[in-house]
Amino acid sequence: MITKIYKSFVFSVAVLGLSSCVNNWLDQAPANGIPTAQAITNYNDAKTAMYGMYDGLQGNSTYREYYAARMFYYRDVHGDDMQARNQGMRTSSCYEMRYTADDAPAIWNVPYNVIRRANRIIEAVENKKIMDADKYQSQINDIYAQAKVVRALVHFDLVRIYGNPYTVDNGASLGVPFVDTALNTDAQMGRETVANVYEKVIKDLTDAVNSGFLYKSVKVGEKQGFIDQWAAEALLTRVYLYKGDNELALSTAKNVIMNSPYKLWTADEYADAWDKMNAKHTGEILFEIVNNGSDDWADREGIGYLYNEDGYADAICTKSFVDMLKADKNDVRINVVLPLKNKKDGNGNPTELYKIYGDEPVFINKFPSGQQSDPRLQNLPILRLSEVYLNAAEAAMKLGGGAVNEAVLYLNEIIKARSIDVSAAKVVDNNSITLEKVLTERRKELVGEGHRFFDAMRNNETIVRYESQDNMGWHYALNEDSRKFDRTYFRAILPIPVSETNANPVIAKQQNPGY
């Protein structure tokens, strides 16, 4: 693969292993999976390698550049619904967008190491290296299909971070290297086009979905922490939507909605269901990263701690977003955006934060302290049924014609499920529904889960933090070009990390424009 990535792989796995993830599905084997030098030759090896693959999605406090934290906050504070609370916070660089190629946040090495782990599983199965395959054929097939989905997920993440949205030029510009084999450490791959990456991502997903190998859960939570058939299809509908293939996005989403066991949380369930200890938690979560301990990535650098007032209180909702959410007094989603708890200091005087925010709700509570009294212990939602409904509604609106009826149906299901008074819910009909309403509902539903920035870029929207001191809200001073921008702004795409361009002259010649 890319030189830097694979030279660092053994080291990265070792470091990840030191943290010893204690997820219940990792108790059976070391979290670092199968070492690079060890072949996958039997079912137990394959199962252990699968645990390591999933563990890699998290990263840890040293390599927290993936779903441990950065993959969430990069996409949140890059947009207009969340912001870094102040300068010098962990999310500040992503929010301020002043970075250069030398100091930009990176989401590169850890994702590619996850891809390597997935590739080792895939190659072991395809090359018939697993000696006891006949005895465990269905289990091995399932692991193989899961590895295909994880490989697709990670490449899809990377191409969105380092390449233009597909809709800019139908994928003609450069994306990222697509790695589908375990290459030597001295291999130097170049970047493929965005279109090529999407094509291969979709092939991996459709191969897995159509294989019949993935477990098809018949009740929620059966495969918690693992990819099942429904999670794979949910990811596929997301990819189709980003690609602009609205017909396939809609048909795939409809299959998940109509045939999976997952159901939308009700208005009464919504606020508490984010706590993984709640009985309703798994009701609409198709795939999440499971965490049962605080000695791995779920430390003070994890996303739960970053977003919590009693943690680092690092990132908050913007005033414009809070105002939008408060506009509907019946919307229960305001209940997962919390006001300050600590309003007075030891002398009984208002705290500095209270002087700024007063009683306004500012802190996202989708990683709550909950029944375990620790936000670091919450799971990380990656795919939810509510997104699938919104994908269906958006795709149907873009198709137009008779499909608008379906857009109305799916959007109204979300609106009603998030209203404390269904009779007063602001439902739409064929005359009142607009794409803007669908996208606004998407913002309200998915805030804090790392969607807004990519949604805005693929739909060619303009991100507006503030335009003058009169409408700064809670924003602190930003460079002018980061206050309001669209997808033509070169910093809307991250630079390929310097560590990679220094190690790989092929990639060095393909750095993103502006860097």
Side-chain angles (χ1 to χ4, degrees):
M1 183 184 174
I2 308 166
T3 304
K4 175 69 177 180
I5 293 167
Y6 287 116
K7 285 184 177 177
S8 67
F9 176 67
V10 175
F11 172 74
S12 299
V13 168
V15 173
L16 285 169
L18 292 177
S19 299
S20 182
C21 181
V22 294
N23 292 344
N24 59 355
W25 43 267
L26 292 174
D27 288 341
Q28 305 171 55
N32 60 337
I34 300 296
T36 303
Q38 180 178 332
I40 299 174
T41 60
N42 57 52
Y43 168 59
N44 284 331
D45 288 346
K47 186 167 60 172
T48 302
M50 177 186 66
Y51 299 150
M53 175 184 71
Y54 280 109
D55 185 57
L57 287 172
Q58 303 174 41
N60 65 8
S61 60
T62 301
Y63 290 90
R64 56 186 179 272
E65 66 182 52
Y66 205 15
Y67 280 106
R70 189 170 292 168
M71 192 62 190
F72 281 96
Y73 71 69
Y74 164 78
R75 301 178 295 176
D76 282 329
V77 304
H78 252 61
D80 44 7
D81 294 340
M82 291 191 71
Q83 64 173 90
R85 183 170 56 80
N86 211 336
Q87 291 179 324
M89 312 302 287
R90 285 153 183 79
T91 60
S92 296
S93 176
C94 291
Y95 169 61
E96 295 167 8
M97 299 175 73
R98 295 186 297 171
Y99 40 74
T100 67
D102 292 326
D103 62 4
I107 310 176
W108 184 271
N109 282 354
V110 169
Y112 272 113
N113 282 328
V114 176
I115 290 169
R116 181 173 176 84
R117 298 180 191 194
N119 281 337
R120 296 189 63 237
I121 295 170
I122 293 166
E123 290 189 346
V125 175
E126 291 181 344
N127 295 334
K128 303 188 185 304
K129 298 295 185 181
I130 300 178
M131 297 297 100
D132 55 358
D134 291 343
K135 184 177 180 181
Y136 299 101
Q137 194 64 64
S138 62
Q139 296 96 321
I140 290 169
N141 286 345
D142 186 25
I143 291 171
Y144 169 75
Q146 289 182 64
K148 284 282 191 80
V149 177
V150 170
R151 184 169 74 181
L153 167 66
V154 181
H155 278 110
F156 181 58
D157 286 341
L158 286 163
V159 78
R160 291 183 295 164
I161 294 166
Y162 293 101
N164 278 318
Y166 192 100
T167 52
V168 168
D169 53 10
N170 289 321
S173 52
L174 289 176
V176 293
F178 190 97
V179 183
D180 56 5
T181 186
L183 301 179
N184 295 328
T185 57
D186 58 352
Q188 296 178 338
M189 293 184 66
R191 299 170 67 182
E192 298 190 36
T193 65
V194 169
N196 284 349
V197 176
Y198 267 75
E199 180 182 357
K200 293 177 180 180
V201 164
I202 290 171
K203 185 178 188 307
D204 269 351
L205 289 173
T206 53
D207 283 352
V209 164
N210 296 331
S211 67
F213 295 161
L214 288 168
Y215 186 77
K216 184 175 284 190
S217 298
V218 295
K219 62 181 180 178
V220 298
E222 280 191 285
K223 290 275 284 185
Q224 188 182 20
F226 297 91
I227 298 286
D228 72 353
Q229 178 76 16
W230 308 117
E233 291 189 31
L235 178 57
L236 184 56
T237 192
R238 181 191 291 178
V239 175
Y240 282 141
L241 189 70
Y242 273 69
K243 184 174 181 284
D245 196 335
N246 296 308
E247 187 171 350
L248 286 173
L250 177 58
S251 62
T252 307
K254 286 169 61 177
N255 189 56
V256 176
I257 292 167
M258 293 188 294
N259 296 313
S260 80
Y262 299 90
K263 304 296 179 186
L264 293 174
W265 292 324
T266 66
D268 290 338
E269 295 167 349
Y270 186 79
D272 295 330
W274 292 97
D275 183 354
K276 72 175 187 180
M277 303 300 291
N278 187 284
K280 300 294 185 179
H281 174 72
T282 56
E284 71 165 67
I285 296 183
L286 288 87
F287 175 56
E288 63 183 342
I289 296 174
V290 174
N291 174 57
N292 287 329
S294 59
D295 62 343
D296 192 43
W297 63 268
D299 59 10
R300 293 174 184 239
E301 304 296 338
I303 193 66
Y305 205 77
L306 294 184
Y307 282 2
N308 194 283
E309 180 188 355
D310 292 329
Y312 285 133
D314 202 290
I316 60 173
C317 290
T318 62
K319 189 174 187 307
S320 60
F321 176 79
V322 170
D323 289 345
M324 178 176 69
L325 196 55
K326 288 169 59 179
D328 182 357
K329 64 181 181 179
N330 288 317
D331 197 323
V332 297
R333 286 169 294 202
I334 196 66
N335 296 325
V336 293
V337 187
L338 303 181
L340 290 166
K341 293 183 295 183
N342 306 308
K343 301 176 182 180
K344 294 184 179 181
D345 61 21
N347 298 318
N349 299 315
T351 64
E352 291 303 311
L353 291 183
Y354 190 69
K355 292 177 184 178
I356 300 171
Y357 309 119
D359 293 317
E360 293 281 10
V362 292
F363 293 107
I364 285 289
N365 196 39
K366 291 185 174 181
F367 313 95
S369 297
Q371 297 177 48
Q372 293 182 295
S373 301
D374 192 338
R376 298 174 299 170
L377 302 183
Q378 290 300 333
N379 297 344
L380 302 180
I382 309 300
L383 294 160
R384 288 199 295 127
L385 186 65
S386 55
E387 182 200 345
V388 178
Y389 271 84
L390 290 162
N391 291 348
E394 182 180 337
M397 276 302 298
K398 289 177 175 176
L399 286 170
V404 172
N405 293 327
E406 294 181 286
V408 170
L409 170 66
Y410 295 123
L411 185 63
N412 280 339
E413 287 299 308
I414 291 287
I415 292 171
K416 289 185 288 186
R418 302 298 179 248
S419 179
I420 58 175
D421 184 356
V422 175
S423 64
K426 296 182 178 180
V427 296
V428 296
D429 58 26
N430 286 54
N431 294 320
S432 63
I433 191 171
T434 63
L435 180 59
E436 182 181 6
K437 288 184 178 180
V438 175
L439 297 179
T440 296
E441 204 64 31
R442 189 177 183 91
R443 291 172 67 179
K444 293 194 290 184
E445 179 66 25
L446 300 177
V447 65
E449 298 174 67
H451 288 268
R452 171 57 183 158
F453 173 69
F454 287 150
D455 285 341
M457 295 299 98
R458 67 183 173 81
N459 283 310
N460 199 20
E461 297 180 53
T462 297
I463 294 291
V464 181
R465 274 83 173 267
Y466 68 93
E467 297 182 84
S468 69
Q469 289 187 339
D470 295 334
N471 64 4
M472 282 185 69
W474 300 318
H475 294 285
Y476 59 85
L478 296 171
N479 288 346
E480 185 174 355
D481 53 4
S482 295
R483 298 174 194 171
K484 179 180 178 181
F485 63 91
D486 59 22
R487 64 193 191 184
T488 64
Y489 181 34
F490 77 93
R491 287 195 175 96
I493 304 173
L494 284 182
I496 306 298
V498 166
S499 60
E500 189 61 40
T501 57
N502 285 344
N504 184 349
V506 178
I507 285 251
K509 296 176 182 178
Q510 299 176 322
Q511 181 60 279
N512 281 322
Y515 297 106

